[in-house]
Amino acid sequence: MSVTTTVATTAPAKPLITGGLTVAVVAGAATAAVAAAGEFTGIGLAVGDAPIPVSGFAVLTVIFSVVGLVLALVLARWARRPRTAFVRTTIVLTVLSLVPDVLADAPLATRVLLMLTHVVAAAIVIPAIARRLSA
């Protein structure tokens, strides 16, 4: 009788972590730049009566990118196909992240700008982390 075991192939954690942290900072700078450009063109950065500072875009992007990196590390360890699982999961999470922006108490231009920052961050972070995961 033969017993076969499946061993998940995992990417080394260090390149995933360093690459993920680097891309988090890049995405943070990009979303802050998008927000600043929007503000420069006259789009307000306030939801309700609460203004959002441009730096807030960078900080929140870095925080949630690190959450995505942690997800990638977990999937690298436990998922059969980490890259596929990561991409599918993060795309769903990105779409879900747009819901509060759609419902926000803000002018349409502000809501579109908020959604654009989510898409910009996802377009930078998801492929950069995904390519460091095993297919």
Side-chain angles (χ1 to χ4, degrees):
M1 182 166 138
S2 158
V3 176
T4 340
T5 58
T6 305
V7 177
T9 308
T10 59
K14 187 174 180 178
L16 182 57
I17 292 168
T18 56
L21 292 176
T22 301
V23 78
V25 171
V26 170
T31 58
V34 168
E39 187 174 46
F40 181 76
T41 63
I43 299 172
L45 297 180
V47 174
D49 292 329
I52 305 168
V54 169
S55 62
F57 287 86
V59 170
L60 288 175
T61 299
V62 170
I63 289 169
F64 284 103
S65 296
V66 169
V67 170
L69 177 58
V70 170
L71 172 65
L73 289 165
V74 168
L75 292 172
R77 175 74 176 103
W78 298 105
R80 181 175 294 169
R81 293 185 313 208
R83 182 181 303 159
T84 301
F86 177 78
V87 170
R88 287 180 181 170
T89 302
T90 53
I91 287 173
V92 168
L93 291 173
T94 301
V95 170
L96 289 174
S97 77
L98 301 177
V99 172
D101 297 338
V102 169
L103 302 174
D105 177 21
L108 178 62
T110 300
R111 289 183 281 153
V112 170
L113 180 63
L114 293 171
M115 288 185 281
L116 178 61
T117 61
H118 288 229
V119 172
V120 166
I124 293 169
V125 174
I126 294 171
I129 292 178
R131 80 174 135 256
R132 289 174 171 82
L133 293 170
S134 301

